[in-house]
Amino acid sequence: TVVGIATESTDHTKLVELLAAAELVATLSIDTVGTGYTVFAPTNAAFAKIDTATLTCLALAQNKDHLVNILKYHVVGSTVVSGSLTDGMEITSLDTTSTKYKFASDGTTLTPMDGTAAKITTTDLLATNGVVHIIDTVLIPKGFVAKLNCTAPATPTPASASSSSSSLAIVAFSATAAIAIFF
Protein backbone atom coordinates (compact mmCIF):
# COMPACT_ATOMS: atom_id res chain seq x y z
CA THR A 1 0.00 0.00 0.00
CA VAL A 2 1.05 3.64 -0.22
CA VAL A 3 1.40 3.68 3.58
CA GLY A 4 3.48 0.51 3.40
CA ILE A 5 5.95 2.22 1.07
CA ALA A 6 6.34 5.12 3.52
CA THR A 7 6.57 2.79 6.53
CA GLU A 8 9.34 0.74 4.94
CA SER A 9 11.38 3.87 4.14
CA THR A 10 13.89 5.29 6.61
CA ASP A 11 13.50 8.64 4.80
CA HIS A 12 9.80 8.96 5.70
CA THR A 13 9.64 8.38 9.47
CA LYS A 14 8.27 11.89 10.15
CA LEU A 15 5.55 11.44 7.51
CA VAL A 16 4.55 8.09 9.02
CA GLU A 17 4.51 9.62 12.52
CA LEU A 18 2.21 12.44 11.36
CA LEU A 19 -0.06 10.05 9.41
CA ALA A 20 -0.51 8.05 12.62
CA ALA A 21 -1.21 11.19 14.67
CA ALA A 22 -3.80 12.27 12.09
CA GLU A 23 -5.35 8.78 12.11
CA LEU A 24 -4.93 8.49 8.32
CA VAL A 25 -2.96 5.23 8.24
CA ALA A 26 -6.07 3.04 7.95
CA THR A 27 -7.62 5.25 5.27
CA LEU A 28 -4.50 5.24 3.09
CA SER A 29 -4.11 1.49 3.62
CA ILE A 30 -7.46 0.64 2.04
CA ASP A 31 -6.71 -1.78 -0.74
CA THR A 32 -9.92 -2.56 -2.61
CA VAL A 33 -10.91 -2.49 -6.24
CA GLY A 34 -11.48 1.09 -7.37
CA THR A 35 -9.29 2.56 -4.63
CA GLY A 36 -6.29 4.46 -5.82
CA TYR A 37 -4.19 7.22 -4.35
CA THR A 38 -1.29 9.32 -5.49
CA VAL A 39 0.81 10.42 -2.53
CA PHE A 40 3.40 13.17 -2.86
CA ALA A 41 5.54 12.05 0.07
CA PRO A 42 7.86 14.59 1.70
CA THR A 43 11.09 13.16 3.10
CA ASN A 44 12.43 13.72 6.61
CA ALA A 45 14.75 16.33 5.05
CA ALA A 46 11.69 18.12 3.66
CA PHE A 47 10.13 18.26 7.13
CA ALA A 48 13.45 19.49 8.53
CA LYS A 49 13.05 22.63 6.37
CA ILE A 50 9.99 23.58 8.43
CA ASP A 51 10.47 25.63 11.59
CA THR A 52 10.54 23.29 14.63
CA ALA A 53 8.00 25.46 16.47
CA THR A 54 5.55 25.12 13.57
CA LEU A 55 5.90 21.32 13.52
CA THR A 56 5.44 21.18 17.30
CA CYS A 57 2.38 23.40 17.04
CA LEU A 58 0.93 21.26 14.24
CA ALA A 59 1.20 18.19 16.49
CA LEU A 60 -0.94 19.76 19.26
CA ALA A 61 -4.33 18.10 19.75
CA GLN A 62 -6.24 21.30 18.95
CA ASN A 63 -4.63 21.36 15.48
CA LYS A 64 -5.57 17.81 14.48
CA ASP A 65 -7.99 18.99 11.75
CA HIS A 66 -5.21 21.16 10.30
CA LEU A 67 -2.78 18.23 10.44
CA VAL A 68 -5.29 16.03 8.59
CA ASN A 69 -5.77 18.72 5.94
CA ILE A 70 -2.05 19.38 5.38
CA LEU A 71 -1.46 15.65 4.92
CA LYS A 72 -4.46 15.33 2.56
CA TYR A 73 -2.99 18.29 0.65
CA HIS A 74 -0.31 15.77 -0.42
CA VAL A 75 -2.80 13.12 -1.62
CA VAL A 76 -4.82 12.77 -4.82
CA GLY A 77 -7.81 10.42 -4.92
CA SER A 78 -6.65 8.60 -8.05
CA THR A 79 -3.50 6.94 -9.31
CA VAL A 80 -1.38 9.30 -11.40
CA VAL A 81 1.93 7.86 -12.64
CA SER A 82 4.71 10.15 -13.82
CA GLY A 83 4.06 9.44 -17.50
CA SER A 84 0.64 11.04 -17.03
CA LEU A 85 2.04 14.25 -15.53
CA THR A 86 1.97 16.73 -18.36
CA ASP A 87 2.76 20.42 -18.76
CA GLY A 88 0.04 22.47 -17.07
CA MET A 89 -1.94 19.37 -16.03
CA GLU A 90 -4.20 19.99 -13.06
CA ILE A 91 -5.15 17.35 -10.50
CA THR A 92 -7.08 17.82 -7.27
CA SER A 93 -5.90 16.92 -3.76
CA LEU A 94 -8.04 15.46 -0.97
CA ASP A 95 -7.74 18.39 1.45
CA THR A 96 -10.86 20.34 2.29
CA THR A 97 -10.02 23.07 -0.21
CA SER A 98 -9.49 20.62 -3.09
CA THR A 99 -6.23 22.22 -4.12
CA LYS A 100 -5.25 21.92 -7.76
CA TYR A 101 -1.67 21.19 -8.78
CA LYS A 102 0.21 22.09 -11.93
CA PHE A 103 3.28 20.31 -13.21
CA ALA A 104 6.27 21.70 -15.07
CA SER A 105 6.77 20.51 -18.62
CA ASP A 106 9.41 18.01 -17.50
CA GLY A 107 7.07 16.59 -14.84
CA THR A 108 9.55 17.16 -12.01
CA THR A 109 8.11 20.24 -10.34
CA LEU A 110 4.79 20.14 -8.51
CA THR A 111 3.21 23.54 -7.91
CA PRO A 112 0.00 23.88 -5.92
CA MET A 113 -2.08 26.81 -7.13
CA ASP A 114 -2.00 28.31 -3.63
CA GLY A 115 1.23 27.27 -1.96
CA THR A 116 4.84 26.12 -2.04
CA ALA A 117 6.32 24.24 -4.95
CA ALA A 118 8.26 21.00 -4.57
CA LYS A 119 10.63 19.02 -6.73
CA ILE A 120 9.66 15.42 -7.42
CA THR A 121 12.87 13.50 -6.73
CA THR A 122 11.62 9.93 -7.19
CA THR A 123 8.61 8.85 -9.19
CA ASP A 124 6.34 5.86 -9.58
CA LEU A 125 6.80 3.83 -6.42
CA LEU A 126 3.88 1.56 -7.24
CA ALA A 127 1.69 0.22 -4.46
CA THR A 128 -1.30 -2.09 -4.46
CA ASN A 129 -3.55 0.91 -3.85
CA GLY A 130 -1.82 3.67 -5.79
CA VAL A 131 1.52 5.32 -6.37
CA VAL A 132 3.99 7.35 -4.33
CA HIS A 133 6.15 10.17 -5.68
CA ILE A 134 8.89 11.46 -3.35
CA ILE A 135 9.16 15.24 -2.98
CA ASP A 136 11.84 17.46 -1.45
CA THR A 137 9.57 20.04 0.20
CA VAL A 138 6.45 19.88 2.34
CA LEU A 139 3.59 21.48 0.41
CA ILE A 140 2.14 24.26 2.54
CA PRO A 141 -0.80 26.40 1.40
CA LYS A 142 -0.53 30.15 1.75
CA GLY A 143 -1.87 31.32 5.11
CA PHE A 144 -1.86 27.80 6.59
CA VAL A 145 0.50 28.49 9.51
CA ALA A 146 -1.55 31.51 10.61
CA LYS A 147 -4.57 29.21 11.15
CA LEU A 148 -2.76 27.07 13.74
CA ASN A 149 -3.53 27.43 17.45
CA CYS A 150 -0.09 27.24 19.03
CA THR A 151 -1.15 27.87 22.61
CA ALA A 152 -0.40 24.74 24.60
CA PRO A 153 -3.25 23.47 26.78
CA ALA A 154 -2.94 24.68 30.38
CA THR A 155 -1.47 22.25 32.88
CA PRO A 156 -1.88 22.57 36.63
CA THR A 157 1.07 24.16 38.40
CA PRO A 158 2.55 22.54 41.50
CA ALA A 159 1.16 25.40 43.62
CA SER A 160 -2.41 24.81 42.43
CA ALA A 161 -1.97 21.06 42.77
CA SER A 162 -0.86 21.37 46.42
CA SER A 163 -3.66 23.88 47.01
CA SER A 164 -6.16 21.33 45.68
CA SER A 165 -4.80 18.55 47.86
CA SER A 166 -4.85 20.92 50.88
CA SER A 167 -8.51 21.70 50.17
CA LEU A 168 -9.29 18.00 49.98
CA ALA A 169 -7.53 17.40 53.28
CA ILE A 170 -9.55 20.18 54.94
CA VAL A 171 -12.81 18.76 53.57
CA ALA A 172 -11.84 15.28 54.74
CA PHE A 173 -10.87 16.63 58.18
CA SER A 174 -14.13 18.58 58.43
CA ALA A 175 -16.17 15.51 57.50
CA THR A 176 -14.32 13.41 60.05
CA ALA A 177 -14.86 16.06 62.73
CA ALA A 178 -18.57 16.30 61.91
CA ILE A 179 -18.96 12.53 62.19
CA ALA A 180 -17.10 12.51 65.50
CA ILE A 181 -19.33 15.27 66.92
CA PHE A 182 -22.46 13.50 65.72
CA PHE A 183 -21.60 10.30 67.55
Short mmCIF file of all heavy atoms in Angstrom, two decimals, residues 107-135:
data_model
loop_
_atom_site.label_atom_id
_atom_site.label_comp_id
_atom_site.label_asym_id
_atom_site.label_seq_id
_atom_site.Cartn_x
_atom_site.Cartn_y
_atom_site.Cartn_z
N GLY A 107 7.73 17.44 -15.81
CA GLY A 107 7.07 16.59 -14.84
C GLY A 107 7.78 16.47 -13.50
O GLY A 107 7.41 15.65 -12.68
N THR A 108 8.80 17.30 -13.26
CA THR A 108 9.55 17.16 -12.01
C THR A 108 9.24 18.22 -10.97
O THR A 108 9.71 18.13 -9.85
CB THR A 108 11.08 17.19 -12.27
OG1 THR A 108 11.41 18.44 -12.84
CG2 THR A 108 11.51 16.06 -13.16
N THR A 109 8.45 19.22 -11.31
CA THR A 109 8.11 20.24 -10.34
C THR A 109 6.60 20.26 -10.15
O THR A 109 5.84 20.38 -11.10
CB THR A 109 8.60 21.64 -10.76
OG1 THR A 109 10.01 21.56 -10.98
CG2 THR A 109 8.32 22.67 -9.69
N LEU A 110 6.19 20.14 -8.90
CA LEU A 110 4.79 20.14 -8.51
C LEU A 110 4.49 21.50 -7.90
O LEU A 110 5.16 21.91 -6.96
CB LEU A 110 4.59 19.02 -7.48
CG LEU A 110 3.30 18.95 -6.71
CD1 LEU A 110 2.17 18.56 -7.65
CD2 LEU A 110 3.43 17.90 -5.61
N THR A 111 3.53 22.21 -8.43
CA THR A 111 3.21 23.54 -7.91
C THR A 111 1.73 23.64 -7.59
O THR A 111 0.90 23.70 -8.49
CB THR A 111 3.58 24.64 -8.94
OG1 THR A 111 4.92 24.45 -9.34
CG2 THR A 111 3.40 26.02 -8.35
N PRO A 112 1.39 23.64 -6.29
CA PRO A 112 0.00 23.88 -5.92
C PRO A 112 -0.39 25.30 -6.33
O PRO A 112 0.45 26.19 -6.33
CB PRO A 112 -0.02 23.74 -4.41
CG PRO A 112 1.26 23.05 -4.06
CD PRO A 112 2.24 23.40 -5.14
N MET A 113 -1.63 25.50 -6.70
CA MET A 113 -2.08 26.81 -7.13
C MET A 113 -1.99 27.84 -6.01
O MET A 113 -1.95 29.02 -6.26
CB MET A 113 -3.53 26.73 -7.61
CG MET A 113 -3.73 25.74 -8.72
SD MET A 113 -3.01 26.33 -10.22
CE MET A 113 -4.24 25.82 -11.38
N ASP A 114 -1.96 27.38 -4.76
CA ASP A 114 -2.00 28.31 -3.63
C ASP A 114 -0.91 28.07 -2.59
O ASP A 114 -1.08 28.35 -1.43
CB ASP A 114 -3.36 28.23 -2.95
CG ASP A 114 -3.59 26.88 -2.29
OD1 ASP A 114 -2.84 25.93 -2.57
OD2 ASP A 114 -4.53 26.78 -1.48
N GLY A 115 0.23 27.54 -2.98
CA GLY A 115 1.23 27.27 -1.96
C GLY A 115 2.63 27.04 -2.51
O GLY A 115 2.95 27.46 -3.61
N THR A 116 3.43 26.37 -1.73
CA THR A 116 4.84 26.12 -2.04
C THR A 116 5.01 25.06 -3.10
O THR A 116 4.31 24.07 -3.10
CB THR A 116 5.54 25.54 -0.79
OG1 THR A 116 4.67 25.53 0.31
CG2 THR A 116 6.79 26.26 -0.47
N ALA A 117 6.00 25.23 -3.93
CA ALA A 117 6.32 24.24 -4.95
C ALA A 117 7.31 23.22 -4.39
O ALA A 117 8.04 23.51 -3.45
CB ALA A 117 6.91 24.92 -6.18
N ALA A 118 7.33 22.04 -4.99
CA ALA A 118 8.26 21.00 -4.57
C ALA A 118 8.81 20.30 -5.80
O ALA A 118 8.15 20.22 -6.83
CB ALA A 118 7.56 19.98 -3.68
N LYS A 119 10.01 19.79 -5.66
CA LYS A 119 10.63 19.02 -6.73
C LYS A 119 10.33 17.55 -6.47
O LYS A 119 10.47 17.05 -5.35
CB LYS A 119 12.14 19.26 -6.74
CG LYS A 119 12.84 18.58 -7.88
CD LYS A 119 14.28 19.06 -7.97
CE LYS A 119 14.66 18.99 -9.41
NZ LYS A 119 15.04 20.14 -10.07
N ILE A 120 9.90 16.86 -7.52
CA ILE A 120 9.66 15.42 -7.42
C ILE A 120 11.00 14.75 -7.67
O ILE A 120 11.55 14.82 -8.76
CB ILE A 120 8.59 14.95 -8.43
CG1 ILE A 120 7.28 15.70 -8.21
CG2 ILE A 120 8.39 13.44 -8.33
CD1 ILE A 120 6.23 15.46 -9.28
N THR A 121 11.53 14.08 -6.63
CA THR A 121 12.87 13.50 -6.73
C THR A 121 12.86 12.03 -7.13
O THR A 121 13.82 11.55 -7.71
CB THR A 121 13.62 13.66 -5.39
OG1 THR A 121 12.87 13.01 -4.37
CG2 THR A 121 13.82 15.13 -5.05
N THR A 122 11.78 11.34 -6.82
CA THR A 122 11.62 9.93 -7.19
C THR A 122 10.17 9.73 -7.60
O THR A 122 9.26 10.19 -6.91
CB THR A 122 11.96 8.99 -6.01
OG1 THR A 122 13.27 9.27 -5.54
CG2 THR A 122 11.87 7.53 -6.42
N THR A 123 9.97 9.05 -8.70
CA THR A 123 8.61 8.85 -9.19
C THR A 123 8.23 7.38 -9.21
O THR A 123 9.08 6.49 -9.18
CB THR A 123 8.46 9.40 -10.63
OG1 THR A 123 9.36 8.69 -11.48
CG2 THR A 123 8.70 10.88 -10.70
N ASP A 124 6.94 7.16 -9.27
CA ASP A 124 6.34 5.86 -9.58
C ASP A 124 6.73 4.71 -8.66
O ASP A 124 7.04 3.61 -9.12
CB ASP A 124 6.64 5.48 -11.04
CG ASP A 124 6.04 6.45 -12.03
OD1 ASP A 124 5.06 7.15 -11.67
OD2 ASP A 124 6.55 6.54 -13.16
N LEU A 125 6.68 4.94 -7.35
CA LEU A 125 6.80 3.83 -6.42
C LEU A 125 5.40 3.22 -6.34
O LEU A 125 4.52 3.74 -5.66
CB LEU A 125 7.29 4.31 -5.05
CG LEU A 125 8.67 4.99 -5.05
CD1 LEU A 125 9.00 5.54 -3.67
CD2 LEU A 125 9.75 4.04 -5.52
N LEU A 126 5.21 2.14 -7.10
CA LEU A 126 3.88 1.56 -7.24
C LEU A 126 3.49 0.75 -6.02
O LEU A 126 4.27 -0.04 -5.49
CB LEU A 126 3.82 0.70 -8.50
CG LEU A 126 4.07 1.45 -9.81
CD1 LEU A 126 4.08 0.48 -10.99
CD2 LEU A 126 3.02 2.53 -10.03
N ALA A 127 2.25 0.94 -5.59
CA ALA A 127 1.69 0.22 -4.46
C ALA A 127 0.43 -0.50 -4.92
O ALA A 127 -0.07 -0.24 -6.02
CB ALA A 127 1.35 1.21 -3.34
N THR A 128 -0.09 -1.37 -4.09
CA THR A 128 -1.30 -2.09 -4.46
C THR A 128 -2.52 -1.17 -4.49
O THR A 128 -3.53 -1.51 -5.10
CB THR A 128 -1.57 -3.24 -3.47
OG1 THR A 128 -1.62 -2.72 -2.14
CG2 THR A 128 -0.47 -4.31 -3.57
N ASN A 129 -2.42 -0.02 -3.85
CA ASN A 129 -3.55 0.91 -3.85
C ASN A 129 -3.17 2.31 -4.36
O ASN A 129 -3.76 3.30 -3.97
CB ASN A 129 -4.16 1.01 -2.45
CG ASN A 129 -3.25 1.65 -1.44
OD1 ASN A 129 -2.04 1.74 -1.63
ND2 ASN A 129 -3.83 2.11 -0.34
N GLY A 130 -2.17 2.38 -5.23
CA GLY A 130 -1.82 3.67 -5.79
C GLY A 130 -0.35 3.80 -6.11
O GLY A 130 0.33 2.81 -6.39
N VAL A 131 0.13 5.03 -6.03
CA VAL A 131 1.52 5.32 -6.37
C VAL A 131 2.04 6.42 -5.44
O VAL A 131 1.29 7.29 -5.00
CB VAL A 131 1.64 5.76 -7.86
CG1 VAL A 131 0.88 7.05 -8.14
CG2 VAL A 131 3.08 5.87 -8.29
N VAL A 132 3.34 6.35 -5.16
CA VAL A 132 3.99 7.35 -4.33
C VAL A 132 5.06 8.04 -5.16
O VAL A 132 5.83 7.38 -5.86
CB VAL A 132 4.63 6.71 -3.07
CG1 VAL A 132 5.41 7.74 -2.27
CG2 VAL A 132 3.57 6.04 -2.21
N HIS A 133 5.08 9.37 -5.09
CA HIS A 133 6.15 10.17 -5.68
C HIS A 133 6.82 10.90 -4.52
O HIS A 133 6.15 11.51 -3.68
CB HIS A 133 5.60 11.21 -6.67
CG HIS A 133 4.79 10.63 -7.78
ND1 HIS A 133 5.33 9.79 -8.74
CD2 HIS A 133 3.47 10.76 -8.10
CE1 HIS A 133 4.38 9.45 -9.60
NE2 HIS A 133 3.25 10.02 -9.22
N ILE A 134 8.14 10.83 -4.44
CA ILE A 134 8.89 11.46 -3.35
C ILE A 134 9.15 12.91 -3.71
O ILE A 134 9.56 13.21 -4.84
CB ILE A 134 10.24 10.74 -3.11
CG1 ILE A 134 10.05 9.23 -2.98
CG2 ILE A 134 10.97 11.33 -1.91
CD1 ILE A 134 9.18 8.80 -1.85
N ILE A 135 8.92 13.82 -2.75
CA ILE A 135 9.16 15.24 -2.98
C ILE A 135 10.12 15.80 -1.94
O ILE A 135 10.24 15.26 -0.83
CB ILE A 135 7.84 16.06 -3.00
CG1 ILE A 135 7.04 15.88 -1.71
CG2 ILE A 135 7.00 15.67 -4.23
CD1 ILE A 135 5.79 16.75 -1.64
#
